[in-house]
Amino acid sequence: MNEFINKKVIFQDLGRKDYRETWDYQEQLFADIVAIKVQNRQQEPATQQITKNYLLFVEHPHVYTLGKSGKAENLLLDAEGLKKYGASYYPINRGGDITYHGPGQLVGYPILDLDNFFTDIHRYLRYLEEAVIATLGDYGIDAGRIDGLTGVWLDHVHQKNPRKICALGVKSSRWVTMHGFAFNVNADLSYFEHIVPCGIRDKAVTSMHVELGRPIDEWEVKERLKGHLARLFEMELEDLI
């Protein structure tokens, strides 16, 4: 438990950025926070440092990522196929299986010291989902959860045609988080045809623009989502200057 609680979260919109570069940036922020926590354990309470929190929004060029528990065969493209579709591929250190990131998808990476908020990973994941569910509700889209499956789904009640609109995959160590969520806003869904999304074969993927039949203002979605995250986590968002 931190001696000093810091609810401030530094927000940064990275725009469109290469996946590897963003991953390295995440790792650095993550490592800096963990290092402070390790050092604080050896300090008297009065001399402990306050740990920082970050929220990164980004859009990646076409890329497939495979989580630690995933199966490589869920990527249906070989090296030549990846080249043909202009996509890259990375096995990474988050939970979950395979997913796709690309233009028109809002990717969020909260790098939080949960000692500043609450030490409960289940609650953390549900709050990320709830922020997306609330954002979709702002647009008249009824979304929710399906038991046993992470992420945010449409037709989650009757499940006649359930389809995922937001995937989650996180890592946590010493209650510090990284990786996060991928929210389809204006995403090209054809890229999902080259994977078994999250290892789930019998359910579809969708995007806001498909559900509403029009292009979506991505800046507006970001602002709404930021507001819901701030409310749920009781965080104070500050833009990185």
Side-chain angles (χ1 to χ4, degrees):
M1 183 68 184
N2 292 349
E3 180 69 18
F4 303 103
I5 300 299
N6 176 27
K7 294 277 191 177
K8 293 181 179 179
V9 178
I10 300 166
F11 173 75
Q12 188 174 10
D13 189 336
L14 301 176
R16 186 173 296 187
K17 194 174 182 67
D18 175 76
Y19 186 85
R20 178 79 248 187
E21 289 181 39
T22 310
W23 186 11
D24 289 345
Y25 183 46
Q26 276 195 84
E27 290 278 13
Q28 185 59 61
L29 297 177
F30 178 87
D32 289 348
I33 297 171
V34 170
I36 289 172
K37 296 193 75 169
V38 170
Q39 184 177 350
N40 280 347
R41 285 178 175 268
Q42 304 167 12
Q43 303 292 328
E44 294 296 325
T47 61
Q48 291 183 4
Q49 297 182 61
I50 295 173
T51 54
K52 293 182 178 180
N53 310 286
Y54 298 87
L55 174 62
L56 310 179
F57 279 179
V58 66
E59 181 183 81
H60 293 304
H62 302 297
V63 60
Y64 297 103
T65 68
L66 181 70
K68 292 187 297 182
S69 58
K71 298 179 180 178
E73 58 264 33
N74 286 332
L75 174 63
L76 307 179
L77 295 174
D78 58 14
E80 193 61 33
L82 288 169
K83 183 178 180 181
K84 175 182 177 182
Y85 290 100
S88 52
Y89 166 67
Y90 295 99
I92 62 173
N93 60 349
R94 61 162 170 78
D97 206 291
I98 197 160
T99 195
Y100 159 78
H101 301 310
Q105 185 187 73
L106 170 53
V107 178
Y109 297 128
I111 305 169
L112 308 178
D113 178 2
L114 291 182
D115 269 323
N116 288 320
F117 301 94
F118 49 79
T119 50
D120 185 333
I121 290 296
H122 178 80
R123 182 180 172 189
Y124 172 68
L125 291 169
R126 301 297 80 80
Y127 274 17
L128 294 183
E129 292 169 344
E130 189 59 37
V132 174
I133 290 168
T135 301
L136 290 165
D138 292 339
Y139 290 84
I141 298 175
D142 181 24
R145 302 175 182 85
I146 295 178
D147 286 347
L149 301 174
T150 58
V152 177
W153 298 80
L154 307 191
D155 191 18
H156 58 289
V157 178
H158 301 294
Q159 297 183 38
K160 293 181 179 179
N161 179 28
R163 48 212 186 273
K164 179 178 278 191
I165 198 164
C166 180
L168 268 67
V170 305
K171 172 187 174 181
S172 174
S173 177
R174 297 181 185 269
W175 296 114
V176 181
T177 66
M178 64 177 289
H179 298 297
F181 59 85
F183 181 13
N184 297 331
V185 180
N186 292 305
D188 182 349
L189 299 181
S190 68
Y191 276 80
F192 286 96
E193 296 172 6
H194 308 302
I195 61 173
V196 180
C198 301
I200 302 169
R201 294 182 178 274
D202 61 344
K203 292 178 175 61
V205 178
T206 192
S207 179
M208 285 183 70
H209 78 290
V210 172
E211 298 298 324
L212 296 177
R214 60 177 172 83
I216 307 301
D217 184 332
E218 294 177 26
W219 180 86
E220 182 182 77
V221 173
K222 290 177 183 179
E223 290 301 303
R224 290 181 180 274
L225 182 56
K226 282 168 61 180
H228 290 302
L229 287 167
R231 170 179 57 84
L232 288 163
F233 284 87
E234 300 180 349
M235 59 175 62
E236 303 170 35
L237 286 172
E238 296 184 344
D239 290 341
L240 182 66
I241 299 175

